[in-house]
């Protein structure tokens, strides 16, 4: 389903978190971003993920970026 990145994913760290519409937190790792030209995600960016149960909670797999432009301020 569609998720919103709660924290950005940076190249240096390689992971971040997203929240689903119900407020559940999902762990996101850059290795799960399907488009290999995208190295990170911004806070507030919309993504589509497959949710799976990982060893430490829910995680996003097969991350697909839905918006690539910066939102206007």
């Amino acid at each position: 389903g569609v998720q919103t990145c709660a924290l950005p994913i940076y190249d240096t760290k390689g992971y971040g978190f997203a929240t689903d519409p119900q407020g559940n937190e999902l762990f996101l790792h850059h290795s799960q971003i399907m488009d290999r030209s995208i190295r990170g995600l911004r806070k507030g960016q919309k993504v589509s993920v497959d949710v799976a149960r990982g060893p430490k909670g829910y995680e996003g797999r097969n991350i697909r970026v839905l918006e690539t432009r910066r939102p206007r301020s």
Side-chain angles (χ1 to χ4, degrees):
V2 176
Q3 317 298 327
T4 301
C5 286
L7 294 172
I9 296 177
Y10 297 111
D11 277 349
T12 54
K13 203 165 33 166
Y15 66 91
F17 295 89
T19 53
D20 69 15
Q22 292 77 32
N24 299 311
E25 190 174 76
L26 303 172
F27 174 79
L28 302 179
H29 192 268
H30 74 91
S31 65
Q32 290 295 318
I33 299 173
M34 301 304 292
D35 183 341
R36 296 292 176 214
S37 68
I38 298 174
R39 303 283 298 161
L41 301 171
R42 296 182 315 278
K43 181 177 180 177
Q45 194 168 20
K46 301 285 187 205
V47 294
S48 173
V49 302
D50 297 331
V51 178
R53 189 84 155 125
K56 295 183 179 180
Y58 292 105
E59 56 187 49
R61 296 187 183 160
N62 302 318
I63 301 168
R64 293 166 297 283
V65 178
L66 300 179
E67 57 183 22
T68 56
R69 294 177 294 151
R70 286 201 177 274
R72 293 183 180 172
S73 332

